[in-house]
Amino acid sequence: MNYLAPSILSADFAALGEAVTLVEAAGAPFIHVDVMDGHFVPNITIGAPVAKSLRKHIKGVMDVHLMIENPDQYLQDFKDAGADIVTVHYEASRHIHRTLQTIRSLGMKSGLSLNPGTPVEVIECLLDEIDMVLIMSVNLGFGGQSFIPYALEKVKAVKELAKKHNKELLIQVDGGVGLHNVKEVVEAGANVVVAGSAVFGAEDVTKAVQEFIALMNE
């Protein structure tokens, strides 16, 4: 089974609860929550208090993507907010192994995100502490960007690395994925796909979610 994770970054921030309810009713099992601090990335979004309020509306998986500096400082906050998965960036922590361990020790699944310029090889010595690898297929900070084709090769490389080590991994792709290329992303090895503007920018959000899920699981 492959999973769609609509990103609320592209939803109406004045009606996030309604947006979550809509996409979950359409069949989306993950809700992707992008947290940006204006330092690690050139944008600011939401923090743990908003995530905690949003949790009341999320029946499925709250998938929190921390695009922030010093993520260790906020892990407990996002645990308290109800996060099921917390993903951090390889470059964001000086001691990434310990950060991943801490996420798990708090009872959440750990994700490690790789920027477009970060090689896949960095995850090999961390695999025992990772539940999900997030391949960024755009540069961080803004929605609505075009997909970077090389990301497909990175997805394939992560899948091969997981197979080599007999490791069950969620492999997530985030950025520039739409109905026109989602099958290609899944065929490369992704099993969780983030979609923001392609879902919330659609004329019919429910139909878009259902079309994504159908294409991803043909």
Side-chain angles (χ1 to χ4, degrees):
M1 184 70 179
N2 299 312
Y3 306 104
L4 178 68
S7 169
I8 63 166
L9 181 64
S10 298
D12 180 354
F13 269 43
L16 290 179
E18 292 91 333
V20 165
T21 299
L22 180 63
V23 295
E24 285 197 327
F30 284 56
I31 299 296
H32 191 78
V33 179
D34 286 308
V35 178
M36 305 181 191
D37 63 359
H39 296 282
F40 188 68
V41 293
N43 202 355
I44 299 173
T45 54
I46 64 172
V50 175
K52 186 173 184 178
S53 295
L54 194 58
R55 176 77 254 190
K56 300 170 188 175
H57 301 272
I58 298 175
K59 296 178 180 178
V61 176
M62 180 189 266
D63 169 29
V64 175
H65 179 192
L66 298 183
M67 289 173 270
I68 63 175
E69 294 180 354
N70 303 315
D72 300 71
Q73 184 177 344
Y74 303 98
L75 297 179
Q76 183 66 56
D77 291 339
F78 282 97
K79 167 63 177 178
D80 295 342
D84 297 299
I85 304 173
V86 167
T87 297
V88 295
H89 280 259
Y90 180 78
E91 295 86 357
S93 175
R94 292 183 180 180
H95 306 286
I96 190 64
H97 186 273
R98 184 170 64 197
T99 302
L100 295 166
Q101 285 185 318
T102 301
I103 293 169
R104 282 179 154 191
S105 73
L106 290 170
M108 301 177 288
K109 288 188 176 181
S110 62
L112 183 63
S113 184
L114 304 181
N115 290 338
T118 306
V120 167
E121 289 74 18
V122 301
I123 73 171
E124 188 158 13
C125 61
L126 300 167
L127 274 176
D128 287 343
E129 304 299 333
I130 299 173
D131 297 299
M132 181 170 77
V133 174
L134 167 54
I135 302 297
M136 290 302 303
S137 44
V138 296
N139 284 295
L140 307 183
F142 300 95
Q145 298 183 64
S146 297
F147 186 86
I148 297 172
Y150 178 64
L152 294 174
E153 298 306 314
K154 294 178 76 172
V155 171
K156 293 174 185 177
V158 171
K159 187 174 182 181
E160 284 301 312
L161 198 57
K163 183 178 179 181
K164 173 184 173 183
H165 291 274
N166 195 28
K167 170 76 175 180
E168 289 289 330
L169 271 184
L170 292 173
I171 302 175
Q172 186 177 71
V173 173
D174 183 1
V177 181
L179 294 172
H180 66 288
N181 63 352
V182 68
K183 280 192 70 173
E184 191 177 14
V185 170
V186 169
E187 287 168 358
N191 47 29
V192 184
V193 172
V194 177
S197 55
V199 169
F200 290 110
E203 186 173 335
D204 186 332
V205 172
T206 296
K207 182 180 178 182
V209 169
Q210 293 171 344
E211 288 179 342
F212 263 105
I213 293 171
L215 286 169
M216 291 171 64
N217 292 284
E218 283 184 344

